[in-house]
Amino acid sequence: MNEPNAPERQNADDLRELYRAAPQPEPPVALGDDIRQAARDSLRVSAQRGAWPWRQGVAVAAVLVLSVSILLLFPREQLHAPGEAPVQPPAVSDAPQPAQPAAPVPEPLPAPAAESKRNAAGKTRQEAPPAAARTLLQAPADERSMDSSAAGAVVNIPRETATDSRTLVEEAEQPDVADDVRDDADVLEKSYYRSSPELWISHIERLLSEGRFADAKREFDAFKAQHPQHPYAAR
Amino acid sequence: MDAATNAAGLSDEELMCAYRDGEAACFDKLYQRHASSLYRFVVRNAGDEQHANELFQDIWMRVINSRARYVPTASFRTWLFSIVHNRLTDYYRAQARRNARIEAASTDFEQFSDPDPLPGEALQNTQLQQALIREIGTLPRVQREAFLLKEEAGLSLDQIAEVVGSSRETIKSRLRYAVAKLRTALREEL
């Protein structure tokens, strides 16, 4: 490695001395302040990013919750026609059912489970689609009297839920309970198709096509009373 | 003791690491140590203060933005002037047309002799000092950069070679030509 030799160094020294003696510009004070402020701001931004590492997680969770909520709400909104006030289904009495001493209880349940079973059964009766309830009631007895092991094997659902379903079938087999369920199903079905004029008209047309003229007439009269301004009511 | 007091005793590398880890006062100290020489280096290279101010601010912003990647493998000064060199290279590319005349002169190295040292009284001549600054501005870019990295940044030949990505011998040659050309120009002023 060759450093500059002595004459070269001496020659450079005089230039260096002259250079040092020349006016030396300094950076503007305002520019320096801006740069130092930028340095502090950069640190602050980094610190904020580091101090809130869960922000992204919260944001993703919030988006997921909102998306699921919207998806769950959407089918309900579809039941109601635009601009039409939703028709609330009539409240079904949650009064305790009459005691059923003859009904066999397959497995005893602990008190909380039994309570949830009762609630679930009531809820199912309120929310089950009418068609499903009709199918259940009109099914042959041998299909309905499926034993508990078969029910568990076929649907492969949690034991408590399977017990609830079985209890519903058993309840439906009782004559007075079957009447109650049928009445509930009728009320629900009526509430459903009466919730919008279009559904109601479809129902009337279906009754006519099935030859149930008396039922169709009764529904048409009810429709006219409910929607006197509707073009269909003028027919 | 506050952070600024503590920073006073730290090396450049320690200051930069401390700034990287969140100590704003350490950046202030680094700026205080290097701002003047870096600014002069940029002014001499850019030629005018308006461009120099933009370059100067941009260079420090690069330092700030690259602090997370800073690893003290080389001296802070070498790292700093590597950033300066890269930024100036970009600047020169943008100003290529403007500098075309100066670049052309860099090919004619043979015209410079190795003149005698300047007389001692000439060093106090203000007119000569201004002429020196002016002549530095007319040096070929690579020679001017080598000269200023040595005189202003205080880097060694090896550090200059590392900064500009050339060999030590190339830097030595550039310096020799730069000094010779400056001296020739200054003799004409006397």
Side-chain angles (χ1 to χ4, degrees):
Chain A
M1 304 290 265
N2 298 325
E3 288 295 335
N5 57 32
E8 278 180 333
R9 195 176 296 124
Q10 187 180 358
N11 288 349
D13 285 345
D14 58 356
L15 272 183
R16 180 175 300 128
E17 196 173 337
L18 186 64
Y19 181 76
R20 295 273 175 258
Q24 303 293 326
E26 289 292 325
V29 175
L31 190 56
D33 291 343
D34 288 348
I35 291 168
R36 281 192 288 261
Q37 186 60 46
R40 279 189 286 274
D41 290 346
S42 176
L43 280 183
R44 191 161 47 245
V45 169
S46 299
Q48 284 172 351
R49 279 187 194 148
W52 304 91
W54 45 269
R55 269 187 175 176
Q56 279 189 325
V58 169
V60 170
V63 168
L64 283 175
V65 167
L66 283 173
S67 304
V68 170
S69 303
I70 290 169
L71 283 175
L72 290 175
L73 285 174
F74 186 69
R76 291 188 190 178
E77 295 293 329
Q78 270 191 327
L79 290 177
H80 308 295
E84 191 81 13
V87 177
Q88 296 297 328
V92 177
S93 170
D94 248 349
Q97 297 296 323
Q100 304 293 329
V105 179
E107 291 176 20
L109 290 172
E115 182 63 26
S116 68
K117 172 186 77 78
R118 196 173 298 116
N119 291 340
K123 195 182 291 183
T124 307
R125 267 188 287 154
Q126 281 185 351
E127 295 181 357
R134 285 184 181 284
T135 306
L136 178 67
L137 293 171
Q138 292 164 1
D142 54 344
E143 286 180 19
R144 278 181 279 141
S145 60
M146 186 187 309
D147 65 30
S148 62
S149 61
V154 171
V155 293
N156 194 22
I157 52 179
R159 187 174 135 183
E160 188 178 328
T161 310
T163 307
D164 292 344
S165 306
R166 195 166 55 243
T167 307
L168 271 179
V169 173
E170 289 160 357
E171 284 180 355
E173 284 175 337
Q174 304 302 316
D176 49 349
V177 175
D179 289 343
D180 286 348
V181 173
R182 190 178 294 112
D183 290 345
D184 289 350
D186 288 343
V187 168
L188 282 173
E189 186 180 15
K190 191 176 285 184
S191 301
Y192 172 67
Y193 65 70
R194 288 187 174 188
S195 63
S196 82
E198 289 72 21
L199 287 172
W200 203 343
I201 292 169
S202 300
H203 179 71
I204 294 168
E205 296 292 337
R206 185 167 61 82
L207 291 175
L208 288 172
S209 67
E210 290 174 358
R212 296 163 61 185
F213 299 112
D215 291 342
K217 175 77 168 58
R218 189 169 59 252
E219 287 299 326
F220 183 64
D221 291 342
F223 181 87
K224 278 201 296 186
Q226 185 80 22
H227 302 286
Q229 304 300 323
H230 197 282
Y232 189 77
R235 291 175 59 176
Chain B
M1 285 200 297
D2 61 358
T5 309
N6 287 329
L10 298 178
S11 68
D12 289 348
E13 293 75 28
E14 289 169 331
L15 286 173
M16 188 61 197
C17 287
Y19 171 61
R20 179 195 62 196
D21 298 337
E23 285 289 343
C26 292
F27 180 86
D28 292 348
K29 190 67 186 171
L30 275 175
Y31 183 85
Q32 183 187 334
R33 285 184 187 175
H34 299 286
S36 295
S37 61
L38 195 152
Y39 184 74
R40 286 193 291 273
F41 181 87
V42 173
V43 168
R44 309 284 190 234
N45 274 288
D48 69 275
E49 289 201 5
Q50 185 186 345
H51 284 116
N53 287 347
E54 292 174 11
L55 289 167
F56 180 74
Q57 185 168 21
D58 192 45
I59 288 162
W60 281 108
M61 291 309 297
R62 289 188 181 197
V63 171
I64 291 167
N65 293 331
S66 53
R67 73 179 185 284
R69 298 187 297 276
Y70 176 73
V71 179
T73 51
S75 79
F76 172 78
R77 208 166 176 79
T78 304
W79 181 74
L80 174 64
F81 278 90
S82 296
I83 293 175
V84 176
H85 168 76
N86 291 334
R87 182 64 188 88
L88 280 173
T89 301
D90 295 341
Y91 172 74
Y92 287 133
R93 282 178 187 149
Q95 301 289 327
R97 284 184 187 173
R98 193 172 66 89
N99 291 337
R101 184 180 57 81
I102 300 170
E103 291 297 322
S106 67
T107 57
D108 193 10
F109 289 152
E110 300 304 322
Q111 63 179 305
F112 301 111
S113 59
D114 191 11
D116 297 330
L118 296 167
E121 63 271 19
L123 302 178
Q124 305 306 318
N125 187 331
T126 307
Q127 188 181 352
L128 205 58
Q129 292 165 4
Q130 292 171 345
L132 173 62
I133 300 302
R134 191 175 60 246
E135 289 304 323
I136 288 172
T138 65
L139 283 174
R141 180 172 66 84
V142 292
Q143 292 176 22
R144 181 173 62 243
E145 186 178 41
F147 179 82
L148 289 172
L149 282 171
K150 181 158 180 57
E151 299 302 330
E152 199 60 73
L155 300 184
S156 68
L157 289 178
D158 290 324
Q159 287 174 321
I160 297 171
E162 187 179 343
V163 166
V164 303
S166 298
S167 71
R168 186 178 187 279
E169 291 306 314
T170 303
I171 300 303
K172 197 173 163 185
S173 173
R174 287 175 185 173
L175 279 172
R176 190 184 298 120
Y177 281 119
V179 168
K181 187 187 177 191
L182 289 173
R183 186 168 288 114
T184 302
L186 292 178
R187 284 198 178 284
E188 293 171 0
E189 290 283 333
L190 287 173

